Amino acid sequence: MKTIDELLAEGVKGKRVFVRADLNVPLAEGTITDDGRIRAVQPTIEKLAEAGARVVVASHLGRPKGAPDPAFSLAPAAARLGELLGTGVAFATDTVGSSAKETVAALTDGQVAVIENLRFNAGETSKDDAERGAFADQLAELADVYVGDGFGAVHRKHASVFDLPARLPHAVGQLIATEVGVLKKLTDEVKRPYVVVLGGAKVSDKLAVIDELLGKADRLLIGGGMAYTFLYAKGYEVGISLLQKDQVDKVKEYMRRAEETGVELVLPVDVLASTDFPDLKTKAPAVFETVDADKIPADKEGLDIGPKTRELYASKIADAATVFWNGPVGVFEHPDYADGTRAIAQALVDSSAFTVVGGGDSAAAVRTLGFDENAFGHISTGGGASLEYLEGKTLPGLAALEG
């Protein structure tokens, strides 16, 4: 892959450089609640602008259904990018229409523009090669050079990620280069003990990565909603906790394989259980009880790991040389159920290991809970992309940049 530094050495002054970024930030009533992904691509954009490129930034946001939807506009992200850059950022109100063409044509050397949400055009995500290619052709008219730096989207075979690089001279941005370098330390160059912490809602989202990690990790710590399927597979009552019964047989197989291969698979020993899911808007105090993981009442659901589990997991992380964490271990958005996720983050901070926080929810949790980002080895911008890389899959966006 050609690096951005090699591209800059060739010269980009006066050239229209299309940067496929990942500005897929969380919004609450039009306000950005976590700008981490914008800040992650900022260095690449600054480098190009300082070298005199006319920078055209493009991204998706959310999942609009192939048509304009004001709820998913990139306007707030463009405004925030301008604040971070300390300069005006032009914004096109469409992707390949008159606004985009006029906005890009008006750029001068060193200026930056953001075009509207790529997924407002059905061609971006189409499974039909011809439709996707036609949209990529239209995007190519806006640029002379392509820079891929949206790591959170490289696992998608989308027009701006997979098809567009084939139509333009291309290079890899600083963010993607960093992300890939970090992931190699989790796959090819692992220092041991290697501890993986997996949380999040559904075990089905993590099946493939668990399958792969059973041959690579020394310890797997399971938390979040997915833990209750494991607990159920052990024969425990889990009440009304999140449960995927269709995955129980697979989970039993993984537990058997972990025992056979010497991988330590660690499950919660106690949880915070309640009859009611917390109000995440008002943050009203929750009513819950701490119970052993094998004694969850039939009318209650587990919403966070308990104090004994927090201590257990911290002890399993303490002597690690490498730690990868993907997924909160509780409903961290509510203060009464944030202690589990906070404990995991603190254990990573206290560890002398190379620590990687992967996934949008985990990254948001770290920032929401007030941790210094620099206290971690790396905070990834790509949850799904990171997991698929760890699964050993070929990521379309990376393959396109290698071509």
Side-chain angles (χ1 to χ4, degrees):
M1 288 187 278
K2 179 185 286 186
T3 67
I4 187 170
D5 289 335
E6 291 171 328
L7 178 66
L8 293 172
E10 294 174 357
V12 293
K13 183 175 176 61
K15 292 184 178 179
R16 301 168 302 162
V17 179
F18 188 104
V19 178
R20 201 332 178 160
D22 178 10
L23 308 181
N24 186 28
V25 292
L27 296 170
E29 298 178 356
T31 300
I32 297 171
T33 58
D34 180 6
D35 66 356
R37 284 178 170 165
I38 303 175
R39 288 186 286 110
V41 76
Q42 182 182 344
T44 290
I45 294 171
E46 286 179 333
K47 275 190 173 184
L48 291 166
E50 288 168 4
R54 303 177 183 192
V55 187
V56 182
V57 182
S59 175
H60 70 287
L61 192 153
R63 298 192 178 189
K65 298 180 179 179
D69 184 338
F72 297 107
S73 174
L74 277 174
R80 180 57 181 149
L81 177 61
E83 292 172 357
L84 291 169
L85 295 175
T87 185
V89 169
F91 180 67
T93 56
D94 56 29
T95 55
V96 291
S98 59
S99 179
K101 292 174 182 176
E102 291 166 8
T103 301
V104 173
L107 289 175
T108 58
D109 296 358
Q111 289 189 324
V112 179
V114 174
I115 62 174
E116 187 54 285
N117 193 335
L118 291 162
R119 292 185 182 175
F120 284 1
N121 189 303
E124 169 68 1
T125 59
S126 176
K127 291 189 179 354
D128 181 82
D129 291 348
E131 183 180 11
R132 214 175 51 247
F135 182 50
D137 288 339
Q138 291 179 293
L139 291 172
E141 294 176 7
L142 300 175
D144 305 303
V145 181
Y146 177 94
V147 171
D149 214 27
F151 181 72
V154 293
H155 58 314
R156 306 294 188 191
K157 192 176 181 181
H158 290 170
S160 65
V161 176
F162 178 75
D163 301 273
L164 186 54
R167 289 158 168 77
L168 294 169
H170 51 268
V172 62
Q174 190 168 313
L175 172 62
I176 285 185
T178 299
E179 294 272 15
V180 172
V182 166
L183 288 169
K184 285 183 178 178
K185 292 183 179 180
L186 300 178
T187 51
D188 304 330
E189 307 158 9
V190 182
K191 292 183 179 179
R192 299 184 180 279
Y194 178 21
V195 177
V196 177
V197 185
L198 294 177
K202 296 181 178 180
V203 68
S204 57
D205 293 341
K206 306 286 196 322
L207 285 176
V209 76
I210 293 172
D211 187 65
E212 187 71 17
L213 288 169
L214 281 173
K216 293 183 177 177
D218 297 299
R219 294 179 198 136
L220 287 176
L221 314 184
I222 307 295
M226 63 183 288
Y228 301 101
T229 301
F230 279 84
L231 294 171
Y232 186 88
K234 290 192 66 157
Y236 296 167
E237 168 65 60
V238 297
I240 56 172
S241 303
L242 190 61
L243 172 64
Q244 289 186 280
K245 284 190 175 181
D246 62 328
Q247 303 298 334
V248 169
D249 287 343
K250 179 64 72 174
V251 165
K252 285 181 178 178
E253 178 196 334
Y254 287 160
M255 290 193 292
R256 177 185 55 77
R257 279 177 52 197
E259 187 172 355
E260 290 176 354
T261 57
V263 175
E264 191 177 0
L265 198 156
V266 188
L267 300 176
V269 294
D270 61 344
V271 302
L272 306 188
S274 176
T275 55
D276 301 304
F277 194 84
D279 189 324
L280 301 182
K281 286 190 175 181
T282 66
K283 304 290 197 294
V287 177
F288 61 87
E289 65 174 318
T290 302
V291 299
D292 290 343
D294 60 348
K295 295 182 176 63
I296 300 174
D299 63 340
K300 295 187 177 181
E301 66 177 320
L303 296 167
D304 194 11
I305 57 173
K308 292 178 184 177
T309 306
R310 297 198 291 267
E311 290 183 12
L312 173 64
Y313 285 12
S315 72
K316 297 296 183 181
I317 292 169
D319 68 342
T322 304
V323 183
F324 173 67
W325 171 31
N326 181 284
V329 296
V331 187
F332 76 92
E333 298 91 342
H334 192 283
D336 290 334
Y337 299 117
D339 286 344
T341 299
R342 182 182 289 107
I344 297 296
Q346 188 63 55
L348 265 66
V349 170
D350 293 341
S351 170
S352 60
F354 174 62
T355 56
V356 180
V357 180
D361 286 342
S362 304
V366 163
R367 299 183 186 106
T368 299
L369 297 175
F371 286 89
D372 180 357
E373 293 180 43
N374 295 320
F376 303 89
H378 180 69
I379 297 181
S380 179
T381 58
S386 296
L387 290 177
E388 290 197 16
Y389 189 100
L390 293 179
E391 291 165 21
K393 289 184 177 179
T394 296
L395 305 187
L398 294 185
L401 291 170
E402 289 168 352

